[in-house]
């Protein structure tokens, strides 16, 4: 999964969070990408960027091909992350954590050797389990007002609705599908759309 961060601190607003399923060669790792400035169409120059890895956030990608959704709450500053492999939803404080060390030696998979390319490991992030006991959670979507988190449960074909403030489940929708993945609300109609693998 990947999610744009609606933060307002950076100059260009090009911060993204990703569930990197290859980072630790096993279960996945949370990564923050800040491209810092526009590169222009077709440009592969990534010499100015800041990439942070968060190995303390334990992710579990599950089976290959199963989506691991992410969404950033714009005012609570929490990243909600689906863990298909262990049936949980994590909530991570997007603005927490501290620089620990460079990532260049532990993760020799980066695109530029210049000092302007910041590649680091961050630790001590605030995180909690938002929901557990789910059967392969996949897609995540926040209601337009940010009050509800919608969670696609691939194992049952249901979409569960959680109150963001209390982290309590307030309802469920049975879709009748068995391979639901990503979800998103339309910005124009506020209708929730989801993807189903088998029916494409």
């Amino acid at each position: 999964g990947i999610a744009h961060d609606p933060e307002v601190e950076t100059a260009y607003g090009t911060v993204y969070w990703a569930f990197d399923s290859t980072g630790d060669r096993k279960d996945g790792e949370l990564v923050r990408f800040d491209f810092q400035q526009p590169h222009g169409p077709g440009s592969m120059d990534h010499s100015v960027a800041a990439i942070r890895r968060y190995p303390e956030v334990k992710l579990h990608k599950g089976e290959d091909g199963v989506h691991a959704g992410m969404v950033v709450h714009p005012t609570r500053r929490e990243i909600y992350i689906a863990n298909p492999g262990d049936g949980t939803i994590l909530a991570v404080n997007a603005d927490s954590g501290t620089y620990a060390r460079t990532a260049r030696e532990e993760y020799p998979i980066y695109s530029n050797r210049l000092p302007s390319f910041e590649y680091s490991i961050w630790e001590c992030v605030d995180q909690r389990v938002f929901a557990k006991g789910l059967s392969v959670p996949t897609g995540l979507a926040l209601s337009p007002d940010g009050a509800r988190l919608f969670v696609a449960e691939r194992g049952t074909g249901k979409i569960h609705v959680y109150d963001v403030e209390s982290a309590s489940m307030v309802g469920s929708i049975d879709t009748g599908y068995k391979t639901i993945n990503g979800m998103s609300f339309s910005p124009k109609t506020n209708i929730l759309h989801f993807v189903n693998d088998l029916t494409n």
Side-chain angles (χ1 to χ4, degrees), residues 3 32 66 68 75 131 157:
R32 179 187 184 271
V66 174
T75 56

Side-chain angles (χ1 to χ4, degrees), residues 38-112:
H39 298 145
S43 173
M44 293 301 289
D45 178 14
H46 296 122
S47 58
V48 179
I51 314 299
R52 300 174 184 173
R53 289 191 167 275
Y54 296 82
E56 290 181 339
V57 179
K58 299 304 179 186
L59 303 183
H60 303 274
K61 69 181 183 70
E63 296 180 12
D64 289 343
V66 174
H67 177 67
M70 303 176 69
V71 66
V72 182
H73 198 289
T75 56
R76 294 177 63 89
R77 301 296 300 138
E78 286 187 315
I79 313 160
Y80 301 101
I81 308 168
N83 260 334
D86 76 348
T88 62
I89 306 296
L90 298 182
V92 178
N93 184 326
D95 300 323
S96 67
T98 56
Y99 173 88
R101 58 193 180 276
T102 181
R104 291 178 185 251
E105 294 181 7
E106 294 173 58
Y107 301 89
I109 47 172
Y110 51 92
S111 60
N112 202 287

Side-chain angles (χ1 to χ4, degrees), residues 105-196:
E105 294 181 7
E106 294 173 58
Y107 301 89
I109 47 172
Y110 51 92
S111 60
N112 202 287
R113 295 182 179 276
L114 291 176
S116 57
F117 181 83
E118 177 196 325
Y119 190 39
S120 56
I121 293 172
W122 280 52
E123 296 178 345
C124 301
V125 295
D126 296 332
Q127 59 178 307
R128 62 191 169 93
V129 176
F130 179 85
K132 60 183 178 179
L134 296 164
S135 180
V136 193
T138 54
L140 300 180
L142 281 169
S143 61
D145 64 1
R148 300 284 187 264
L149 178 67
F150 289 71
V151 178
E153 190 177 44
R154 186 181 175 103
T156 64
K158 294 181 179 179
I159 296 174
H160 298 300
V161 186
Y162 288 85
D163 176 71
V164 169
E165 184 69 31
S166 65
S168 58
M169 187 186 297
V170 296
S172 294
I173 305 163
D174 193 342
T175 68
Y177 294 97
K178 297 299 182 185
T179 55
I180 54 178
N181 269 338
M183 296 191 303
S184 183
F185 277 93
S186 166
K188 292 184 177 180
T189 65
N190 290 340
I191 293 175
L192 179 65
H193 299 267
F194 64 88
V195 175
N196 184 62

Side-chain angles (χ1 to χ4, degrees), residues 3-21:
H4 177 253
D5 190 335
E7 53 80 38
V8 294
E9 297 297 320
T10 62
Y12 293 98
T14 53
V15 175
Y16 292 84
W17 294 86
F19 189 129
D20 179 8
S21 62

